[in-house]
Amino acid sequence: MKKLEDYIITIPDFPEPGIQFRDVTSVLQNGDGLCLAINRLQELLDGVSFDVLAGTESRGFLFGMPLAYNLHKPFVPIRKKGKLPRETVAKEFSLEYGTATIEIHKDAILPGQKVVLIDDLIATGGTMKAAAELVEELGGEVVKMIFLIELAGLKAREILKDYSIASVITYEGK
Ligand code: AMP
């Protein structure tokens, strides 16, 4: 039986020199890999009480939606600038490569709701920090952040020290 790690293909120097790109499409394109990924992510939420699952574009949607469906929770997409049609709040942040702005619909989170954030991978933590700030701007409380993959060498846990973080697979380097 293959481990989840066996389904992840690493591409050196993509999309820029020096980046080791951890590809999750190779997980999704295998039925066993897909089930394993969703089941292992879902285990990270055992015992966690929450109201809303919010995922960041775009791979956070791929892993967030099956979890939200399984757990009968609402799913909220946090999207790149300009994609959401109704009133939004926005946040600009730095990426491992470049900068970006993300947005959330203003009515997607109600004050006091407990929110879990999900993405496929955490690198520097910049995306998640911005996502958490958006949730908090709407009055939500981030109770957990979950990831399929964590690149521990980029030390996201330092900038996200106020949050509870869990990952299925941790790579020690970048
Ligand atoms: P960060 O904001 O630095 O934590 O970057 C996280 C986002 O960038 C996630 O949405 C990832 O999908 C993507 N990302 C960053 N670094 C990598 C990498 N080495 N391999 C694959 N995806 C990455």
Side-chain angles (χ1 to χ4, degrees), residues 39-116:
N39 293 342
R40 296 280 306 277
L41 277 163
Q42 196 162 315
E43 282 166 21
L44 301 179
L45 294 179
D46 282 351
V48 179
S49 158
F50 69 101
D51 303 303
V52 177
L53 186 62
T56 40
E57 186 166 354
S58 59
R59 281 165 274 159
F61 302 170
L62 297 173
F63 295 99
M65 268 298 299
L67 281 194
Y69 180 84
N70 280 348
L71 298 170
H72 202 135
K73 299 287 184 189
F75 180 79
V76 168
I78 297 176
R79 298 211 62 181
K80 290 171 184 156
K81 189 179 166 65
K83 304 280 188 185
L84 291 171
R86 294 183 288 108
E87 213 182 337
T88 61
V89 285
K91 192 75 57 186
E92 191 183 301
F93 64 100
S94 307
L95 285 169
E96 192 183 2
Y97 31 89
T99 68
T101 300
I102 53 172
E103 295 182 326
I104 189 170
H105 272 140
K106 255 189 172 167
D107 63 3
I109 310 278
L110 301 174
Q113 281 191 314
K114 292 183 195 302
V115 179
V116 170

Side-chain angles (χ1 to χ4, degrees), residues 27-44:
V27 177
L28 301 176
Q29 73 191 28
N30 182 286
D32 290 337
L34 170 56
C35 283
L36 205 50
I38 299 305
N39 293 342
R40 296 280 306 277
L41 277 163
Q42 196 162 315
E43 282 166 21
L44 301 179

